[in-house]
Amino acid sequence: MTAARALAGTQRAAMAEAWANRRGFWTQVIAMVVNDVAWIAFWVLFFHRVGAIRGWDSSKVLLLLAVLTTSAGLVLGMLGNARRIGRLAVEGDLDAALALPVPPLAYLLVRRIDTTNLGDLAFGIVLFAVAGHPTPLRTLVFAAAVVVAATILTGFLVAAGSVAFFAGRNEAGELGFHAMLMFASYPVDVFSGAAKALLYTVVPAAFVSAVPARLIDHFDGRLAATLVGVAALFAFGGWALFTAGLRRYTSGAVWTRA
Amino acid sequence: MATDPVIDVAGLGKTFATGRAGSRKHKAVEAVRDITFHVEPGERLAYIGPNGAGKSTSIKMLTGILHPTAGRAEVLGLVPWQDRRRLTMRIGTLFGQRSQLWFELTPRQSFRMLGAIFGLDDARLARRTHELAELFEADELFDAPVRNLSLGQRMRCELAACMLHEPEILFLDEPTIGLDLLGKQRFRELLVRLNAERGTTIFLTSHDVADIEHVAKRVIVINHGAVIYDDDVAAIRRTLLATKLIELSLEHPTDEPAIPGVTVVEHTPTTMKLVVDTSTRSIRDVVDALLGTCPVTDLSVVDPPLEQVIAEIYGAPRP
Amino acid sequence: MKAFRVAVVTAAQRVLAERGGLLVSLGFYLAVVSVVTSLWRAAAGAHGGTVVGYSAVALTWYIATSEAATVSLNIRLIEDIGNDIASGTIVAELLRPASVVGIRVASEVGRALPRLAILSLSGAVAAFLLSGGHGPPDPAALLLAMPALVLAIAVNLVAQHAFAGVAFWIRDARSTWFLYQKFVFIAGGMLLPIEVLPHGIERAARLLPFMAMAYAPARLASGHFEPTLLLVQAGWLAVLGAIAVAVFAAGERRLQVVGG
């Protein structure tokens, strides 16, 4: 299939580009790792003092963080444009993608690799290996869960960014990105009521970290099916919103700058 | 049998909404309105106008990037914004300020990616790269990272990238922006050569008049979103301004001749430049008079610069 | 002295002009406060009502205050200063009569004050609502928390100037900033009261300046009347100020040697 070949060729070029751009790579990766380690330290200290709360303890939270950092590293690292869709739409940077005979969203996603986030990806895998009790079954579920979580995250980011086509500004994209990552780094059961409902629906942070972690500990067919369903929903939703938005793309026309 | 036009535009229009819907700042800007023209295969067409005239908007609708709000258009029999992927296989686009080549990679690496995108097999890609390297005299350039190339070198490689898949039409949006004189000249020569050797239709937008003079055979002038002129480049010169310029070299200093319909615009001890109003006086009469009264060693008759012509068109009130 | 006052006032006016950025900061602040206090209230609930002596209500006021102290600041300061030094912008400032560090800190404090005021006010309302309608555990201590907040941002700003000098010398401002920020998060008591830390680490944290940047005002606002905290903050302000001045002076000499 020519589209697959086109995308593979694009991704290969993106990797070559990322590798060519590796000045400062190591300091940034180390800074990212330090950042992640600080979060680990926080949780370890927290649970050391507090003990388990609402079914969450130290090892469960580390599992949550492993899933989050791996899938976030995958999305932000390998699909570097996922968080930039809104910015690209507003600044008229989609022209190059539209001038080529490729499916525009897929091309944009594989077009850019952000090496610093690959540090998160590596960190998450190491964290799972060290603190996640990686039996063969758990490892399998971890890998599958990461892929599904990455799909949800990508679909959400693309949808939030595509709002920019209609609004003319990229606020929803930026807000969505920060909200998602913030909420997903906490065990969802500490929230209650409306906030908790939000995290299972509009901002699917629970499905990106807490639910996959739960599945790794106790695999449940129905929950897994729900997770996959949510992934399909957000993947389709993101793509649909983006495609609809393209009809309103202004290519950065001067008159429409906010 | 008449050939079908490769570009067929009728009543094309694009209105942008500015500001937020419902806010005080909201208003509709008609960037392009009621554009109608046809382009035959193998033509070299310049689409010119001042900044903000709607050139970029037009070309982006023809290449499927923007959706129009009125009218219709067909390029190679396809509707650009509906059949975008099929169309982009057969056309090439070069937008002056947006790069097809990836900054950190060499052009050859970008070509490999483009080859995968356009479905060129390895043999065909290698052949095309070689042909283009020869045609553009760019062999050493293809293996340098794009960030190390000068703008002129980069634009040559960009043009090569557009031609990799042997498109039938080449759309260029302000391609010579930022190039120095020599760079512009070389670029224009390449376009003319591409058109001559492969019959590639050239559709070029610009506000540099020299682009038109050296590349285009036909020019469409657009202002305030509407077409205000559509004819051969030579016709523009002839019909809109009935003037010619005469440049003389003199053997020794001489007085200015007094010929009705002729104005002296420059007079040095060894040269003279005159403007002739050809509606009052024929060139033949003026030249005869000059040769009779002045110590002429050399004489040339030239058309007025296109700049002047276009400026007159721009100044025309909105229809 | 007048130069300082003018710097503070103009900077404050500038911030008020940046309404959009203020709104974003406010939104971010409220989101973080609701999330983190949810966590701590859940923790207190699961732990028999208190964690290291803080009730759920106290923890809510604690977090609202510690976050206000840090979100008020221009978070990229170390990077900005490091870049300014590298680009030579500092040189232009060195030509002015007043102390470089003093002017910069004064103007940054000026910028932060309106933000601090807005965040503190909203934080108080948020804390009241989130804790289920409870006011501050000790109103007198809360009064002390206000000057403590101002001192907290001043200490933070001066420390960043001192650190920025280091960043310039090791040539990586961004990573230095990341590390600095993590220290404030944990040793500074922003994410957790430092009493949560294991005893050895807690004692070390009390000796570091970070606790003056978030823990001090938060401790007061959460109902602990400990005026000595203000003295500790003032002390760190003086010490870090001296270090920052020395660092900038050394940097100035280096610039002159290098040629600016």
Side-chain angles (χ1 to χ4, degrees):
Chain A
M1 206 173 86
T2 46
R5 190 174 162 231
L7 295 173
T10 307
Q11 180 154 73
R12 231 179 299 131
M15 288 201 250
E17 188 180 51
W19 185 243
N21 210 354
R22 61 192 185 277
R23 297 160 264 139
F25 169 75
W26 285 113
T27 38
Q28 288 181 323
V29 167
I30 289 173
M32 197 60 86
V33 169
V34 165
N35 189 64
D36 295 339
V37 165
W39 277 110
I40 308 278
F42 166 73
W43 285 112
V44 167
L45 291 166
F46 176 85
F47 282 110
H48 175 77
R49 187 64 72 171
V50 171
I53 53 170
R54 302 195 185 162
W56 286 87
D57 62 12
S58 194
S59 76
K60 277 204 80 173
V61 169
L62 290 182
L63 195 59
L64 177 149
L65 287 177
V67 173
L68 181 62
T69 46
T70 312
S71 51
L74 200 63
V75 174
L76 303 177
M78 294 302 290
L79 305 177
N81 273 335
R83 69 195 271 196
R84 304 173 75 242
I85 296 285
R87 204 184 315 170
L88 295 174
V90 166
E91 291 176 7
D93 281 329
L94 301 180
D95 293 358
L98 294 171
L100 293 172
V102 284
L105 182 60
Y107 173 81
L108 282 169
L109 288 176
V110 299
R111 159 78 181 80
R112 183 186 163 118
I113 293 182
D114 277 323
T115 41
T116 54
N117 293 104
L118 296 180
D120 284 326
L121 177 59
F123 182 84
I125 294 175
V126 169
L127 181 60
F128 177 71
V130 165
H133 309 296
T135 68
L137 178 66
R138 284 169 72 95
T139 310
L140 197 67
V141 180
F142 174 76
V146 161
V147 169
V148 177
T151 309
I152 298 175
L153 186 58
T154 308
F156 173 80
L157 288 175
V158 169
S162 299
V163 171
F165 285 117
F166 303 92
R169 302 173 65 143
N170 186 31
E171 279 148 352
E174 290 294 326
L175 274 168
F177 170 72
H178 286 110
M180 189 64 149
L181 288 185
M182 187 193 324
F183 288 119
S185 42
Y186 288 84
V188 70
D189 297 297
V190 303
F191 305 111
S192 42
K196 197 170 183 182
L198 185 79
L199 300 181
Y200 278 97
T201 52
V202 178
V203 181
F207 289 110
V208 168
S209 58
V211 172
R214 208 177 293 159
L215 276 174
I216 297 172
D217 264 347
H218 298 106
F219 187 81
D220 171 69
R222 214 179 305 171
L223 188 60
T226 312
L227 190 66
V228 172
V230 170
L233 191 72
F234 273 92
F236 176 76
W239 172 84
L241 205 59
F242 178 82
T243 307
L246 274 185
R247 311 189 98 253
R248 308 198 36 159
Y249 177 55
T250 60
S251 183
V254 177
W255 310 279
T256 60
R257 298 285 175 109
Chain B
M1 189 177 95
T3 46
D4 288 325
V6 286
I7 304 178
D8 187 1
V9 180
L12 197 65
K14 175 71 178 173
T15 304
F16 289 108
T18 75
R20 306 262 182 83
S23 79
R24 269 171 298 139
K25 287 194 260 178
H26 179 68
K27 63 182 168 120
V29 172
E30 213 178 6
V32 163
R33 60 190 178 85
D34 201 23
I35 305 274
T36 302
F37 62 87
H38 317 279
V39 178
E40 302 297 324
E43 274 200 66
R44 293 204 304 266
L45 167 68
Y47 196 80
I48 66 171
N51 281 327
K55 307 188 295 294
S56 289
T57 308
S58 306
I59 203 175
K60 285 177 184 176
M61 285 192 281
L62 293 177
T63 50
I65 291 176
L66 294 178
H67 291 239
T69 46
R72 61 166 196 82
E74 273 183 18
V75 178
L76 297 173
L78 300 166
V79 179
W81 49 92
Q82 288 174 358
D83 288 307
R84 192 189 57 82
R85 277 160 70 179
R86 270 203 293 161
L87 180 63
T88 48
M89 277 287 195
R90 298 168 63 188
I91 64 172
T93 57
L94 200 163
F95 293 165
Q97 279 142 324
R98 303 211 192 275
S99 184
Q100 278 281 26
L101 300 174
W102 293 23
F103 199 60
E104 299 284 344
L105 305 180
T106 68
R108 206 179 289 274
Q109 285 173 302
S110 286
F111 292 170
R112 208 170 305 147
M113 178 201 69
L114 290 169
I117 286 179
F118 285 109
L120 308 177
D121 60 55
D122 292 340
R124 189 166 163 216
L125 178 65
R127 177 178 57 82
R128 283 300 293 154
T129 311
H130 181 71
E131 282 172 6
L132 290 163
E134 283 200 349
L135 185 65
F136 290 18
E137 291 158 28
D139 204 31
E140 355 57 84
L141 298 182
F142 284 177
D143 291 305
V146 169
R147 82 179 122 76
N148 292 348
L149 299 176
S150 72
L151 183 61
Q153 294 171 322
R154 207 192 91 205
M155 291 315 288
R156 264 191 287 159
C157 294
E158 296 271 358
L159 189 57
C162 297
M163 294 302 302
L164 218 50
H165 58 295
E166 298 172 281
E168 296 161 61
I169 309 177
L170 196 54
F171 287 95
L172 307 115
D173 188 14
E174 312 257 15
T176 56
I177 262 194
L179 293 178
D180 60 21
L181 272 172
L182 186 62
K184 289 190 206 227
Q185 215 174 307
R186 292 185 79 168
F187 193 86
R188 290 175 200 139
E189 282 166 25
L190 283 174
L191 288 180
V192 174
R193 225 189 305 174
L194 283 171
N195 173 252
E197 293 183 12
R198 320 193 107 253
T200 316
T201 310
I202 308 277
F203 186 104
L204 162 79
T205 73
S206 182
H207 60 264
D208 185 339
V209 173
D211 277 345
I212 300 129
E213 244 169 322
H214 296 116
V215 177
K217 287 254 206 56
R218 174 177 163 204
V219 60
I220 294 179
V221 182
I222 176 171
N223 199 14
H224 299 304
V227 172
I228 56 176
Y229 199 85
D230 180 356
D231 208 333
D232 288 343
V233 170
I236 274 196
R237 285 204 204 100
R238 260 182 283 120
T239 59
L240 275 180
L241 275 188
T243 59
K244 286 249 182 220
L245 282 175
I246 297 184
E247 294 173 12
L248 298 176
S249 298
L250 302 168
E251 192 181 333
H252 57 79
T254 185
D255 292 330
E256 294 189 5
I259 310 171
V262 176
T263 336
V264 178
V265 294
E266 200 183 290
H267 185 190
T268 75
T270 51
T271 66
M272 204 186 308
K273 279 202 187 129
L274 309 104
V275 173
V276 180
D277 178 359
T278 51
S279 57
T280 317
R281 201 96 184 163
S282 81
I283 282 290
R284 168 93 194 240
D285 287 345
V286 173
V287 170
D288 278 344
L290 286 172
L291 289 173
T293 56
C294 302
V296 177
T297 59
D298 196 3
L299 182 151
S300 58
V301 180
V302 285
D303 287 323
L306 207 52
E307 237 120 10
Q308 202 178 325
V309 179
I310 302 297
E312 293 227 338
I313 304 177
Y314 284 172
R318 210 172 164 173
Chain C
M1 262 302 125
K2 181 171 184 197
F4 287 102
R5 211 171 353 113
V6 169
V8 169
V9 168
T10 44
Q13 283 171 337
R14 240 189 302 139
V15 167
L16 283 171
E18 300 167 9
R19 282 190 308 279
L22 255 169
L23 241 83
V24 171
S25 290
L26 183 61
F28 178 78
Y29 168 74
L30 290 173
V32 171
V33 167
S34 7
V35 168
V36 180
T37 55
S38 287
L39 178 70
W40 283 109
R41 278 197 305 280
H47 207 247
T50 63
V51 180
V52 294
Y54 290 81
S55 66
V57 175
L59 284 165
T60 306
W61 284 88
Y62 181 98
I63 294 292
T65 315
S66 69
E67 292 285 347
T70 46
V71 176
S72 313
L73 298 178
N74 172 1
I75 58 166
R76 291 225 106 100
L77 200 58
I78 281 189
E79 248 186 291
D80 291 348
I81 300 173
N83 290 334
D84 280 354
I85 295 178
S87 71
T89 314
I90 289 277
V91 179
E93 294 185 20
L94 289 170
L95 296 172
R96 291 200 222 134
S99 147
V100 172
V101 175
I103 284 259
R104 289 186 72 109
V105 171
S107 80
E108 284 297 332
V109 170
R111 285 185 79 165
L113 281 178
R115 253 180 264 158
L116 182 66
I118 292 176
L119 293 184
S120 309
L121 236 69
S122 342
V125 173
F128 179 79
L129 292 171
L130 288 168
S131 62
H134 288 93
D138 184 347
L142 186 71
L143 269 164
L144 277 185
M146 294 189 224
L149 273 169
V150 178
L151 279 169
I153 64 175
V155 170
N156 198 336
L157 286 164
V158 174
Q160 289 195 37
H161 282 78
F163 265 68
V166 170
F168 173 62
W169 269 304
I170 70 170
R171 293 199 184 285
D172 191 343
R174 196 129 170 265
S175 303
T176 314
W177 159 251
F178 255 57
L179 199 66
Y180 176 88
Q181 202 187 30
K182 300 302 161 288
F183 269 103
V184 175
F185 279 16
I186 309 230
M190 188 195 93
L191 280 182
L192 33 63
I194 59 178
E195 288 85 2
V196 171
L197 301 168
H199 288 299
I201 304 182
E202 186 195 337
R203 244 177 294 147
R206 283 188 189 277
L207 295 173
L208 290 171
F210 303 103
M211 55 83 86
M213 304 178 197
Y215 171 78
R219 174 83 178 159
L220 289 164
S222 59
H224 306 89
F225 192 83
E226 296 167 14
T228 45
L229 284 169
L230 289 159
L231 289 171
V232 172
Q233 286 182 304
W236 276 117
L237 190 62
V239 168
L240 289 167
I243 297 177
V245 167
V247 161
F248 268 62
E252 179 196 357
R253 279 195 301 278
R254 190 164 191 247
L255 266 175
Q256 289 178 342
V257 168
V258 169

